[in-house]
Structure formats: structure tokens, C-alpha cells
Amino acid sequence: MAKPQSRNQLIDYCLRRLGHPVIEINIDDEQIEDRLDDALQMFMEYNSDGSSRIAQSVTITEAMITNKYIDLNAAFGGAYNDRILSVNRVFPINSTTSSVNFFDLKYQMRLNDINDLHTGIGDLAYLEQMEQYLSTIDLKLTGHPQVNFNRLDAKLYIQGDLGAGGELAVGNKIMVEMFVSTDPSLANVYNNMFVKEYTTALLKLQWGENLSKFNGITLPGGVTLDGGNIKQDAQKEIEAIRERLIGTYDTPVSFFVG
């Protein structure tokens, strides 16, 4: 099948590209599974199609305050187990200018200034300036919590004054922006061109590694094993695919402009 939709179909596709069943491919089944996992890991971590940027809300609990970290796997109910690659940022948690009452600064601004937009007295530029000004006040008076993410255990560590009266309190909601790897069970993953090419190259390298142990041995019929050349060809293919990954498939670098 030229459009594999599962692990087994992808494995069969890659082996056919290497010459099976015309040529015997000397690779153990477990080695095949390992190389496929390596290819999928490379796809998830470095290919822009292998991950998605999403934002999810988290409600702060007493355990998070005590531990000073958030177990994201538990916080999201296991929806992204072992698939969270990185955390970009945590959106502002509390705002000193957004309490819900009549005397709230933002409430008054919306009550008075937004109404002017309909009358033509105000404009969107003024509204945007006011929003940025209020955000600056909030940043100065409240600040943003500093966080670190440990990918190995999916823990988001929080530094700062936590608990009652602090930057974080029980019941607060935060918004976590993160990159999550694509669900490997999706059929389109196995038909991705990068995955097909890279898996084939890794299997070819494994084949060459296996045959190189018996390099120079002549088989019945005068055929001589030459695993070294297969290995070298595979290494060149892998290098070319990785260069193309960085130049074509990788997510562009984001720059912060201040």
C-alpha cells in the first residue's frame, strides 16, 4: 500500500522500498519496531506537522500550592500523557485592574469609552492604547509568575509568592500555552512523507549494521556480503533527510522583539 495507514502497513511499505520480498532484508522484527519508534520520535519533536501549539486552562489546587508545581498530565486528565513537548508561557493569572465590581478600572473604561466608539468620539487606537497601559500597570504591580517545565515528568514548576495573598491562590485559573505532539494513532502520521523516508533510511542503516558484522563473507553462488556500502548509503540518506528537516519541515524560530 503506497499510502500506509498503520504501523504494520508502514513497515511493509518501507521493507518493499528496500527490496523485499525480492531481496531478503536481514533485520529482526524488534529492530524494525525500534527504528520506527525512532522515526516517529524525530517526527514529533522536530517536524512542524508532528506537534501543535495549544492553550489549556488549569485551576490551581492546594496540592499545587504546596508542591510548587503542576502535574500537567493529572491537570489535563491524562489527555496529553507523554505528549507535552514544551511549555511556552503561562498567561497572566490575576489582574490588579480587573476585579468584578462597579469601581473596577476596566469596567469603567468599557462602560464609558467603548460606548464612545459607536458615537465616533473615540477610536480603536485609543482603546488599544488603554488596554496596553492597563496591562503595563498589571505587570508592574502584579507581575507574571516565573515557571519552568520538566518534560520528563510533565511538571510545571512555579516560582514566586504562592498561596493566600500571593501571585497564585487556590481557585485561580491559569492558561498554559504549550506544544503537544501529534497523536501517533492518527492514520495520516504513517502516510507522512518525512516519516516514510526517514523510517526507510533508518531500516537501511540497521540492515547495513547487521550485515557489516559479516562483511566480505562469500555466500553460495559467489555472492559477497557488503554491509559497509549499505551502511554508508543509509548514513548519507539520513544526513540529507535531517538537513531537509531543518530547512523545510522544522517550525520556524520565533524571535522576541522588545
Side-chain angles (χ1 to χ4, degrees):
M1 175 177 284
K3 295 182 179 181
Q5 303 295 305
S6 66
R7 286 182 66 96
N8 290 335
Q9 290 180 3
L10 176 59
I11 290 173
D12 292 340
Y13 168 85
C14 294
L15 292 177
R16 289 197 302 271
R17 287 189 60 172
L18 292 176
H20 181 80
V22 178
I23 300 174
E24 182 180 358
I25 310 301
N26 309 100
I27 310 177
D28 182 71
D29 290 342
E30 291 187 1
Q31 291 178 325
I32 294 176
E33 295 290 342
D34 290 342
R35 299 296 77 77
L36 175 54
D37 288 337
D38 290 341
L40 290 175
Q41 183 177 358
M42 180 68 75
F43 172 71
M44 302 298 181
E45 295 184 4
Y46 295 101
N47 193 307
S48 59
D49 292 331
S51 62
S52 302
R53 184 172 64 178
I54 65 173
Q56 286 276 27
S57 64
V58 175
T59 302
I60 302 301
T61 64
E62 187 65 43
M64 297 174 186
I65 298 296
T66 303
N67 297 330
K68 291 192 174 184
Y69 69 78
I70 300 174
D71 186 338
L72 294 183
N73 284 334
F76 299 138
Y80 307 111
N81 278 354
D82 301 322
R83 292 172 47 210
I84 302 176
L85 301 177
S86 64
V87 172
N88 288 358
R89 56 177 174 166
V90 173
F91 289 95
I93 298 165
N94 273 340
S95 174
T96 56
T97 60
S98 62
S99 58
V100 183
N101 61 72
F102 182 78
F103 299 101
D104 172 41
L105 183 57
K106 286 191 175 181
Y107 180 90
Q108 289 294 324
M109 186 189 75
R110 295 187 177 101
L111 180 66
N112 297 286
D113 297 333
I114 292 183
N115 183 63
D116 291 338
L117 295 177
H118 300 285
T119 63
I121 299 175
D123 56 25
L124 289 176
Y126 169 75
L127 179 64
E128 177 64 22
Q129 290 171 356
M130 285 299 299
E131 289 284 356
Q132 292 185 13
Y133 178 66
L134 293 177
S135 296
T136 301
I137 294 177
D138 188 42
L139 179 62
K140 286 293 184 180
L141 298 181
T142 304
H144 294 172
Q146 299 299 308
V147 297
N148 292 315
F149 176 67
N150 188 327
R151 177 182 169 188
L152 296 180
D153 53 14
K155 291 180 179 178
L156 181 66
Y157 291 88
I158 306 172
Q159 290 82 39
D161 184 16
L162 309 181
E167 296 173 339
L168 287 180
V170 176
N172 286 152
K173 286 185 177 293
I174 65 174
M175 188 68 69
V176 180
E177 183 184 79
M178 56 190 177
F179 274 94
V180 176
S181 64
T182 303
D183 187 351
S185 64
L186 295 177
N188 288 338
V189 171
Y190 301 105
N191 191 40
N192 182 273
M193 184 56 67
F194 170 81
V195 174
K196 292 193 291 187
E197 290 184 350
Y198 196 63
T199 303
T200 302
L202 290 180
L203 291 178
K204 187 175 182 179
L205 178 63
Q206 185 67 66
W207 184 21
E209 288 276 5
N210 293 346
L211 290 181
S212 64
K213 309 300 180 183
F214 309 98
N215 208 29
I217 295 179
T218 303
L219 301 178
V223 178
T224 302
L225 294 177
D226 192 0
N229 282 339
I230 297 177
K231 181 179 177 180
Q232 290 178 5
D233 289 344
Q235 289 172 334
K236 292 179 181 178
E237 292 175 8
I238 291 173
E239 184 178 352
I241 293 173
R242 287 180 176 176
E243 289 180 356
R244 192 164 68 251
L245 171 65
I246 296 174
T248 304
Y249 299 115
D250 197 6
T251 303
V253 177
S254 298
F255 293 94
F256 291 96
V257 180

